[in-house]
Amino acid sequence: MFFTRWNFPIFLVDNETSIDIIVNQCFNKYNTVKDGKHVHGWPLCAAQLKSRMSGAKDSVTCIRRSENVVTMNPMHYCDPLTDRNVISTLYATSNEKPVSNRSVVVVGARLDTFSMFDGLSPGADSAVSGFVTLLIAAQMLNQLKVSQQPQFVQNNVLFALFNGEAFDYIGSSRIVYDMEKGRFPLANKLSLAKMQPASLALHHISHFVELSQVAPLGDEDSTVYLHTDPVSAGTAEVNQTWLLLVFYCEGTFFSQNGQGCV
């Protein structure tokens, strides 16, 4: 819906008085239809809404206009979309120890959302439920790893909070770009060479788990659904992994308290 070109303006009216005037005192009072005909004759009641907008054309033009200072009070039209991703690994890595291929599981969630209407963010709950679930999972796995000796650990987990996902997946696309260029994660110039984290590329990743909107469908239904894409499901290793996850969830939770995989 956000990326659809609408041929008419869309307004959000949240003032109760304005809604009553438009709906009850205007539309319902004068525009009532009975037997396919308007009860009242013409003219019918109509409302005219106005909203000032600045033509932006495209991103390049919009940013150029914002940077063009020709008056003491320049008009600011738009801002470039930029932010930061948040990443961390379950076990610390070092560039002195190479990472094995297909040994890293990426668990990701998005940080952002956006709305068609200024000042309102009805989709914020969707993003919040995902990254809160990621933080809880990271905390629990960190507690479990205490009993394991890191030198015997073969696999690792990369937790990633992506920013800009609502705008054509900017955050995750940047990480993929950096991996392809051999620049992920970015080196810390203030740290010694031996303290730099190991470089990660796409061939190091075995699975990608996305935590999107995590919520039960209703008050009496606590089932949480696990989805796979057709390409991944066609791979025997990936297909077996998610089947084991489903089996584990059903065997653990359904047999104990009758609830779904949570």
Side-chain angles (χ1 to χ4, degrees):
M1 180 177 179
F2 294 129
F3 299 102
T4 301
R5 181 180 180 87
W6 301 95
N7 295 323
F8 50 85
I10 300 176
F11 289 83
L12 174 66
V13 181
D14 56 2
N15 182 275
E16 295 293 337
T17 302
S18 299
I19 295 175
D20 178 69
I21 294 174
I22 295 173
V23 176
N24 297 320
Q25 300 182 35
C26 177
F27 185 83
N28 291 340
K29 185 176 181 179
Y30 296 99
N31 298 9
T32 304
V33 177
K34 185 177 182 180
D35 298 329
K37 297 181 180 180
H38 289 284
V39 176
H40 300 278
W42 296 92
L44 302 177
C45 182
Q48 183 178 9
L49 304 178
K50 296 182 179 180
S51 177
R52 182 188 177 279
M53 299 179 65
S54 300
K57 186 181 177 181
D58 53 42
S59 298
V60 176
T61 305
C62 187
I63 294 176
R64 185 180 71 246
R65 289 175 178 174
S66 298
E67 296 176 347
N68 187 19
V69 180
V70 294
T71 64
M72 296 297 294
N73 298 308
M75 179 71 71
H76 196 74
Y77 294 96
C78 57
D79 295 310
L81 292 173
T82 178
D83 217 306
R84 297 179 182 272
N85 295 320
V86 181
I87 61 170
S88 180
T89 54
L90 181 61
Y91 296 98
T93 64
S94 172
N95 61 354
E96 296 183 342
K97 182 179 180 181
V99 179
S100 303
N101 291 343
R102 298 182 60 80
S103 64
V104 178
V105 177
V106 179
V107 180
R110 58 190 176 95
L111 282 172
D112 66 302
T113 182
F114 81 101
S115 172
M116 295 178 63
F117 308 104
D118 183 39
L120 296 177
S121 53
D125 291 342
S126 174
V128 167
S129 62
F131 77 73
V132 168
T133 303
L134 184 146
L135 294 177
I136 295 174
Q139 181 186 33
M140 295 181 65
L141 289 175
N142 183 66
Q143 294 173 354
L144 292 174
K145 80 172 186 179
V146 176
S147 60
Q148 301 182 19
Q149 299 182 22
Q151 61 268 30
F152 297 111
V153 175
Q154 301 297 323
N155 299 315
N156 206 342
V157 180
L158 172 66
F159 299 101
L161 294 173
F162 303 115
N163 231 325
E165 294 300 277
F167 296 93
D168 207 17
Y169 306 100
I170 295 177
S172 55
S173 298
R174 180 55 195 247
I175 286 184
V176 171
Y177 175 83
D178 289 340
M179 284 185 173
E180 291 180 339
K181 297 296 182 180
R183 299 191 304 230
F184 181 84
L186 294 176
N188 187 348
K189 297 181 180 180
L190 300 179
S191 300
L192 299 176
K194 64 179 181 179
M195 298 179 63
Q196 298 291 348
S199 178
L200 296 177
L202 295 177
H203 58 81
H204 294 133
I205 299 174
S206 62
H207 300 80
F208 178 82
V209 180
E210 179 187 9
L211 298 174
S212 188
Q213 185 172 355
V214 183
L217 295 178
D219 296 336
E220 299 180 357
D221 186 1
S222 58
T223 303
V224 177
Y225 291 90
L226 176 67
H227 303 274
T228 60
D229 65 277
V231 176
S232 298
T235 304
E237 181 182 355
V238 176
N239 194 43
Q240 182 181 10
T241 301
W242 78 264
L243 285 175
L244 289 174
L245 285 173
V246 173
F247 175 79
Y248 171 78
C249 290
E250 292 180 346
T252 302
F253 291 92
F254 274 107
S255 61
Q256 293 182 4
N257 53 23
Q259 296 181 355
C261 178
V262 294

